């Protein structure tokens, strides 16, 4: 009788494509990547398995994802589906907003060689919407002149947690005594029948919007709302 075999000592490789390095996400339900096994000639035995280590990095502790017991303090590896490409499904509710995460990928070939220079992907998760407020004009106060509307804005979660940051703040000015054209359109400088949100000048945590007194009508009541948007395009919902 006779047997033949191939000798393979070359370690396979894997890469992480999603999540992308140092990116913020407000939803991440599929991790994905690729793997390969190369060797001299045709000696490569081929990738048979890709494992992942998913870490949540906090100020004091590193947590590891266990698909049965969720976040644990002892090291865990989970099996990806497929090899090239590979994927791993995750539930958004299991990401904690404001945290930094790291994903490692490790391929194993048919000869038993395991990758030692892991694929690495660091990312941040932020699903908390920003907030804003109007500080001028003050609620239920009378004004004889109002040439600047102002307020505050803040993205959440707050430090030491991570947030993606503010993108813009918008302002809606409504004339409660003008039912036909109640909304201020700052682009065209007219009162409009179409609901209009006007972009303000945003500073670090405050904002301003310039208005001409000639566009206010004596004796009218006005309602002003602000809403913030972060850099993941998440708008404030319960805007002021």
């Amino acid at each position: 009788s006779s047997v033949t075999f191939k000798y393979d000592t070359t370690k396979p490789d894997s890469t992480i494509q999603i999540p992308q390095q140092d990116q913020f996400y407000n939803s991440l339900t599929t991790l994905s990547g690729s793997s390969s096994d190369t060797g001299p000639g045709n000696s490569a035995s081929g990738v048979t398995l890709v494992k992942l280590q998913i870490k949540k990095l906090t100020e004091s502790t590193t947590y590891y994802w266990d698909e049965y017991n969720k976040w644990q303090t002892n090291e865990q590896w989970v099996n990806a589906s497929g090899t090239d490409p590979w994927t791993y499904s995750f539930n958004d509710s299991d990401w904690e907003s404001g945290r930094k995460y790291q994903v490692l990928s490790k391929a194993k070939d048919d000869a038993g060689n395991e990758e030692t220079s892991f694929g690495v992907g660091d990312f941040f998760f932020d699903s908390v919407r920003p907030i804003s407020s109007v500080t001028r004009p003050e609620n239920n106060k009378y004004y004889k002149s109002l040439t600047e509307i102002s307020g505050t804005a803040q993205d959440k979660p707050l430090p030491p947690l991570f947030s993606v940051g503010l993108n813009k703040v918008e302002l809606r000015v409504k004339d409660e005594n003008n039912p036909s054209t109640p909304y201020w359109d700052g682009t065209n400088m007219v009162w409009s029948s179409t609901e209009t949100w006007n972009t303000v000048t945003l500073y670090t945590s405050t904002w301003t919007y310039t208005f001409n007194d000639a566009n206010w009508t004596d004796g009218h009541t006005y309602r002003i709302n602000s809403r913030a948007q972060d850099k993941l395009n998440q708008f404030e919902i319960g805007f002021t």
Side-chain angles (χ1 to χ4, degrees):
S1 66
S2 65
V3 296
T4 60
F5 70 95
K6 292 182 179 180
Y7 192 68
D8 177 10
T9 61
T10 302
K11 294 178 173 62
D13 295 306
S14 65
T15 60
I16 297 170
Q17 294 164 346
I18 297 177
Q20 296 180 17
Q21 185 65 24
D22 293 330
Q23 293 298 303
F24 276 84
Y25 292 86
N26 58 17
S27 177
L28 184 60
T29 57
T30 303
L31 313 181
S32 63
S34 60
S35 67
S36 62
D37 190 27
T38 58
N42 61 352
S43 66
S45 56
V47 176
T48 58
L49 179 66
V50 174
K51 285 182 170 286
L52 303 177
Q53 186 176 87
I54 305 170
K55 296 190 281 188
K56 178 167 66 173
L57 309 175
T58 72
E59 296 84 357
S60 57
T61 307
T62 297
Y63 295 92
Y64 301 86
W65 177 251
D66 179 327
E67 56 193 20
Y68 300 106
N69 300 301
K70 300 198 174 184
W71 297 107
Q72 302 293 311
T73 54
N74 54 314
E75 287 197 22
Q76 305 285 334
W77 289 86
V78 295
N79 293 342
S81 298
T83 56
D84 188 32
W86 58 261
T87 60
Y88 186 79
S89 297
F90 209 90
N91 193 321
D92 273 342
S93 63
D94 289 318
W95 301 121
E96 181 185 354
S97 195
R99 294 298 184 187
K100 181 178 182 178
Y101 294 86
Q102 184 178 79
V103 181
L104 305 180
S105 63
K106 176 174 67 174
K108 182 178 180 181
D109 69 16
D110 194 48
N113 298 302
E114 286 194 351
E115 179 180 7
T116 53
S117 56
F118 305 142
V120 181
D122 297 327
F123 72 97
F124 304 88
F125 195 80
D126 175 8
S127 61
V128 180
R129 295 175 183 272
I131 60 172
S132 68
S133 66
V134 179
T135 57
R136 179 177 175 84
E138 297 178 39
N139 195 35
N140 293 324
K141 189 172 180 178
Y142 286 85
Y143 288 84
K144 66 177 183 179
S145 175
L146 184 62
T147 57
E148 183 178 86
I149 302 168
S150 59
T152 64
Q154 191 174 57
D155 195 21
K156 288 196 169 186
L158 300 178
L161 298 177
F162 298 95
S163 63
V164 68
L166 291 171
N167 180 43
K168 65 179 178 179
V169 175
E170 294 179 332
L171 194 70
R172 183 178 65 185
V173 182
K174 184 179 181 183
D175 184 343
E176 302 279 22
N177 301 108
N178 185 3
S180 59
T181 55
Y183 299 105
W184 176 249
D185 179 349
T187 300
N188 297 301
M189 302 297 288
V190 295
W191 292 97
S192 170
S193 60
T194 303
E195 182 180 18
T196 304
W197 288 90
N198 305 281
T199 301
V200 307
T201 300
L202 177 62
Y203 305 99
T204 302
S205 59
T206 61
W207 55 264
T208 60
Y209 185 78
T210 301
F211 207 90
N212 192 316
D213 274 342
N215 293 311
W216 302 120
T217 300
D218 187 25
H220 282 211
T221 298
Y222 297 90
R223 179 180 298 276
I224 297 175
N225 299 106
S226 66
R227 66 177 183 183
Q229 183 194 56
D230 69 16
K231 292 177 181 176
L232 289 173
N233 297 322
Q234 298 177 120
F235 266 111
E236 176 179 4
I237 294 178
F239 49 81
T240 62

